[in-house]
Structure formats: C-alpha cells, structure tokens
Amino acid sequence: MTRFLLYFLPGAGHLAAPLAQELGADIGEIEFHKFPDGETYLRFLTPPDGRHIALVDCLDRPDPKLIPLLFAAMTAKDLGAKSVGLIAPYMPYFRQDIAFHRGESISARHIGSLLSTHLSWVTTLDPHLHRLAGLDDVFTIPGELAHATAPIAQWINTHIESPIIYGPDEESEQWVKSIAEACGAPYDVFRKTRLGDRNVQIEVPPGMAASDHTPVIIDDIISSGTTLATLVRTLCESGQPRPICCAVHGIFAEDAYEQLIAAGAARVVTTNALPHKTNAIDVTGALADAARRIALPED
Ligand code: R5P
C-alpha cells in the first residue's frame, strides 16, 4: 500500500498527529521564513521525491497562505514528488460563486482554477456549495468531499437532550436536514437577507412558540458571526431557550465569538477543521476517509 507523506503548512499543525495517524502517513517538514518585506522563503527539509505527498493547509484568512501553498506545491514537483494533493479543511472564496454585480470576480472559480494548475487532487470539508453543484464546477483536478454532518450529529446526540435543529438560511438546509435526520430531531430553516458584511435580517415565523426542545443552530461558517448572532437574538426575543451555535468552520473574524456570547448563545461549538477554543467535534476521520478515497493509487 502506498504510504502518504503529509506536510502541514503554518496554521494546520493541530491536525498533524491525528491526521497522520488516521492515514498511516509519514509527516514531512518544510521550513518557512518570512523576509522583512513579507516575501516567503521555503525549503523542504524532508525530501518529497518519489513520494505521493499531500499538503495540509487550513486556508482560512487565505491571502497570506496562498503563496506559501502554491510555492510548496511547485517546489515539491520540482523535487520529484509523484503527486501533490491538497487536504484543505476549509476551502476559501466559495461564497462568491456568481457575479452578483457586473464586473465582480467570481472568486470560487478563480480559486479552483489557481489551485488546479499546481496540484494533483484536492479534498476539502463541506465547502460552501450553494449555487455550485460540486468541486468539479470549479476544479479541473480530481476532487473529493469530506462531510462533518456525521460527527456533528454524534456530538449533538451525546451532549444535547431533545434538540431542535435550526438553520439561518436556505443554504444551511443541506447540513441542517441531514443532521436533524441523524439525530431524529425536528428542524426548521429560516430566510436570511444580507444587507452588508455585518448586517443581516432573518425572518422567523411570527408568533413562533417557545418549545421544550433545546435549540441548536447549525451553519457551515461563522465568519463575522453576524448571521448566527442575529438568529440567536431573534430566537431569544421570541421566547426560545438560549440556543447552542454549532458550525463546521469557525473562522471568527475579529470579535465574532464575543458577539455570539453577547447575543445570548448558550454555547458555541465548532469542528477542529480550523483551530479555535470552541473546537469540540473531531473531523480528522472524515478528512482522512476523503483523502484515502481519492489519493492512494497503488504503485
Ligand atoms: C452564508 O451563506 C454562510 O452559510 C454563512 O451563513 C455565512 O458565511 C456566515 O457569515 P457571517 O458569520 O459573517 O454572518
């Protein structure tokens, strides 16, 4: 059986031991240095030549991470790696999947095209697939999806008695529905209108009755925290118990976590796709399964 060689880029080190163990993979080392002017130096300390390698890169706050990733992929190929895959626990730029206004960059397509040029395959965890049908819509290399729904449902089943699952908008229904089904819980999905980066309106049914269930709000991304904080406030105002917020990707821009707590969230829980103090749900098994499905050719 081919044995992977994994390299963890800055910011992904929390996944090194569990992912290497799940995949039975070796861990390689790359030295990174930032020059005073911000340019990146990198050097492979563990040779990738003759190996199938994967770069593991979280890719939240992506712009400063993309050049090191692309340089690492190109260098690995220069050094004779047989294949260079990408395990990205978070895939950035997928929310800009159409030109909403004339002249806009369709960032999802551009990130797919950029990464496809330099990598052999890609796997990622629950990317924001709304108007995109799948990874094939933006990548020209083989892609494989990993899903956090089973580990999230397992966490809810273990920790929450009598949950009701809520989604803030129609995009969240794909996660909300399958998690609710796996938990045998009722669910509802609301309607969101985004008016700005930190301004959303969420409509819940008028006169929504308080229930005996514990509300668990599920979303794929907590970025500014505005979406979930708005729903938390709306639910509390309608007499519901303080909700638990649960997200696949906890980006937590600026004071997003504090905003959620101030809005009334009883607890905020995320997967360990991105490192944060709210991490409570382990997705390394899901990432490893997806990587194994796509990337272990027999030599
Ligand atoms: C958008 O449709 C996503 O599913 C999330 O709801 C959104 O990205 C969350 O962003 P924020 O935390 O900035 O409201």
Side-chain angles (χ1 to χ4, degrees), residues 26-283:
D26 300 317
I27 298 178
E29 224 185 310
I30 306 175
E31 177 190 348
F32 287 95
H33 174 70
K34 275 267 179 254
F35 290 110
D37 58 9
E39 292 188 2
T40 295
Y41 164 95
L42 71 85
R43 179 184 175 204
F44 277 74
L45 300 179
T46 310
D49 46 299
R51 303 286 304 267
H52 293 288
I53 76 157
L55 304 172
V56 184
D57 204 345
C58 285
L59 292 182
D60 59 309
R61 297 162 177 89
D63 294 11
K65 293 182 177 172
L66 283 167
I67 285 290
L69 172 65
L70 295 173
F71 284 9
M74 286 185 256
T75 308
K77 281 185 187 162
D78 288 349
L79 293 172
K82 279 187 175 169
S83 63
V84 183
L86 170 64
I87 300 176
Y90 172 67
M91 185 56 68
Y93 285 119
F94 264 42
R95 286 172 289 175
Q96 182 79 20
D97 53 7
I98 56 166
F100 296 94
H101 304 101
R102 188 176 159 80
E104 284 177 352
S105 160
I106 304 177
S107 313
R109 291 198 188 284
H110 297 153
I111 197 78
S113 147
L114 185 64
L115 295 176
S116 296
T117 307
H118 299 289
L119 291 152
S120 316
W121 53 265
V122 61
T123 184
T124 188
L125 180 78
D126 287 320
H128 189 81
L129 295 177
H130 178 36
R131 282 159 289 251
L132 299 170
L135 294 177
D136 288 355
D137 274 7
V138 297
F139 287 98
T140 54
I141 51 175
E144 184 73 30
L145 291 173
H147 297 290
T149 42
I152 290 176
Q154 195 185 349
W155 185 89
I156 292 172
N157 274 331
T158 312
H159 293 86
I160 313 292
E161 210 175 310
S162 188
I164 181 164
I165 315 293
Y166 290 133
D169 51 31
E170 58 174 2
E171 286 127 282
S172 65
E173 180 153 11
Q174 54 189 300
W175 296 284
V176 168
K177 185 168 184 285
S178 57
I179 290 168
E181 282 170 2
C183 295
Y187 77 92
D188 209 344
V189 170
F190 305 118
R191 189 189 299 243
K192 175 173 90 180
T193 310
R194 186 172 282 281
L195 305 168
D197 288 345
R198 291 174 186 278
N199 187 5
V200 303
Q201 283 173 352
I202 298 179
E203 288 170 42
V204 303
M208 194 173 152
S211 83
D212 295 336
H213 294 286
T214 303
V216 181
I217 306 174
I218 303 281
D219 206 358
D220 57 336
I221 301 170
I222 298 172
S223 181
S224 69
T226 305
T227 297
L228 292 198
T230 303
L231 184 52
V232 167
R233 262 193 302 274
T234 308
L235 291 175
C236 290
E237 282 162 13
S238 70
Q240 305 283 316
R242 290 170 63 204
I244 290 161
C245 294
C246 179
V248 180
H249 303 290
I251 296 177
F252 296 105
E254 297 168 354
D255 61 349
Y257 175 75
E258 289 71 24
Q259 293 282 346
L260 283 173
I261 297 299
R267 184 171 174 187
V268 182
V269 176
T270 58
T271 79
N272 60 348
L274 302 177
H276 190 260
K277 63 183 172 186
T278 56
N279 290 171
I281 301 167
D282 184 16
V283 289

